[in-house]
Amino acid sequence: MRSAAPGVAEHSSSLGQSLVWRLRDDARAVGDARNLLRRALLLVGLGRDLVDDAVLMVSELVTNAVLYGAAPYELVVRVDPAEVVCTVVDAGAVLPILRGTDAQAENGRGLLIVAELSAGLYGCIPQTFATCPEVEGKATWFALPQADRR
């Protein structure tokens, strides 16, 4: 892995290109993740609808990490011809729970949004960090097929 810029690492593999960013350890991570993801996906030529969906879902996952997880936070994005996979890693041990919420609730819809926009291609697994491999945490991810969305 070579460093592309402070706090940014790039990793290539035979399955596609992965970009890894260490995010700030506070709520500003949400806006940073949105901006980084939007720029990265537009640079590789993805359609605006796919980019907008991915940015909304990353915003939800990073918000959950900041509210319910623990720093550090990391964003990993892999783009290949079949799909875009976005992963948010945090050091928290508690796994997210998909829950129903009433129409009057002010929060609690983040994973519902991710589930809907990703057509069920999302999840959460234990994972170490790419930017600090000695730290264990969890990775919450989603995938978006590129087939009909370019």
Side-chain angles (χ1 to χ4, degrees), residues 57 111-123 141-144:
M57 289 189 283
L111 283 181
L112 291 170
I113 291 169
V114 172
E116 181 68 26
L117 291 177
S118 70
L121 297 173
Y122 74 102
W141 62 272
F142 64 84
L144 290 172

Side-chain angles (χ1 to χ4, degrees), residues 48-132:
R48 195 156 301 274
D49 287 345
L50 185 140
V51 172
D52 289 345
D53 286 352
V55 168
L56 174 58
M57 289 189 283
V58 153
S59 181
E60 296 297 336
L61 294 185
V62 176
T63 297
N64 283 351
V66 170
L67 291 176
Y68 308 112
Y73 310 111
E74 180 176 87
L75 173 62
V76 182
V77 178
R78 181 177 53 82
V79 179
D80 66 32
E83 65 186 358
V84 174
V85 179
C86 298
T87 305
V88 175
V89 184
D90 76 82
V94 177
L95 300 179
I97 298 170
L98 181 64
R99 58 185 169 147
T101 137
D102 67 59
Q104 303 305 315
E106 290 185 22
N107 57 25
R109 292 182 188 86
L111 283 181
L112 291 170
I113 291 169
V114 172
E116 181 68 26
L117 291 177
S118 70
L121 297 173
Y122 74 102
C124 186
I125 57 172
Q127 183 167 316
T128 57
F129 286 73
T131 57
C132 42

Side-chain angles (χ1 to χ4, degrees), residues 1-13 17-20 131:
M1 189 177 312
R2 72 187 196 298
S3 180
V8 178
E10 244 181 85
H11 181 289
S12 296
S13 72
Q17 180 80 8
S18 290
L19 299 171
V20 180
T131 57

